[in-house]
Amino acid sequence: MTAALAAGWVDAVVGGGGLILLPAILLTMPQLTPQQALATNKLTAVNGTAAAVVTFARKVRLEWRLMVPAAVLAAVFAALGAATVSLIDRDLFIPIIMGLLVAVAVFVTLRPTVGTTLAHHRPSRARVITTVLVAGGALGYYDGLFGPGTGTFLIITFAVSLGTEFVRSAAMAKVINLGSNVGALTYFAVTGSVWWSLGLTMAACNVIGAVIGARMALAKGAGFIRIVLLVVVVVMVIRLGWQQL
């Protein structure tokens, strides 16, 4: 339950909660297959992400005309990703994801203004469409297939492509992440992989952590999210590297 609480907090602020909760599920419930653990984690995450979306939406103005199509796209592609989990050797992805996370850390470190200031000019229509396709399509599929760092990649995508500051980027990321979680969970539910009692029990703690995390992000602002993002990225790289070795 402590892991579910911590995962909810981290996921609401910068994403990456799955790297806390998924290993905890596998450690405490060794009888579960990796797919069952992933499915149960998605059930827990859906509830925490929904709570984070509601908390952010009360304080941050979101462009729902952009967010809803992207979230629906993420749901569809996350379901496709979940359906192809067994067909792809996910170990091949770990070095690539580690490299991308390192690139994110370096980029955020060298560009301290990214995510801390709001762009003065509205992005072009082409850029908005590209962002929707990347966030909803590519990252939605990745979330269903593998998952670690999806929220982090979404935040960076919105901050760089649309020029939004980190608080708004985090709020937008949660909407897309909710869509991808629902899509993956739907597939896992249809295939009978979800342990409902365990997932719903952990969901209560995950929701509490998510609400606390979202409120802290809103109260402390972009600088706080930037620091947490860098810390979480470093931890994710170490965790994935350990898993690889």
Side-chain angles (χ1 to χ4, degrees), residues 32-180:
L32 294 181
T33 65
Q35 189 166 11
Q36 288 174 322
L38 183 61
T40 305
N41 174 64
K42 285 298 180 188
L43 173 59
T44 302
V46 161
N47 291 274
T49 306
V53 168
V54 172
T55 303
F56 275 121
R58 288 174 176 171
K59 298 292 184 180
V60 177
R61 186 179 63 84
L62 295 170
E63 295 188 26
W64 292 106
R65 288 182 298 177
L66 170 64
M67 292 293 95
V68 172
V72 171
L73 189 64
V76 173
F77 275 85
L80 292 175
T84 55
V85 165
S86 60
L87 304 177
I88 298 175
D89 184 359
R90 291 187 297 163
D91 287 342
L92 297 176
F93 282 89
I94 294 179
I96 298 173
I97 302 308
M98 289 175 62
L100 289 174
L101 288 170
V102 170
V104 166
V106 172
F107 181 79
V108 173
T109 301
L110 297 180
R111 296 284 298 277
T113 59
V114 171
T116 58
T117 57
L118 185 63
H120 298 295
H121 304 289
R122 291 184 63 83
S124 66
R125 182 179 180 82
R127 178 168 290 223
V128 170
I129 293 174
T130 300
T131 302
V132 169
L133 293 175
V134 171
L139 290 176
Y141 180 80
Y142 168 73
D143 194 29
L145 177 68
F146 191 53
T150 300
T152 304
F153 292 139
L154 284 168
I155 290 174
I156 292 299
T157 297
F158 290 131
V160 174
S161 183
L162 301 183
T164 54
E165 34 77 39
F166 279 145
V167 174
R168 190 177 303 278
S169 296
M172 295 166 71
K174 287 299 99 187
V175 176
I176 310 304
N177 217 179
L178 177 60
S180 64

Side-chain angles (χ1 to χ4, degrees), residues 5 9 15 46 63 105 111 143 153 164 168 173 182 194 201 212 232 237:
L5 182 72
W9 187 91
V46 161
E63 295 188 26
R111 296 284 298 277
D143 194 29
F153 292 139
T164 54
R168 190 177 303 278
V182 168
V194 183
T201 301
I212 294 173
V232 170
V237 170

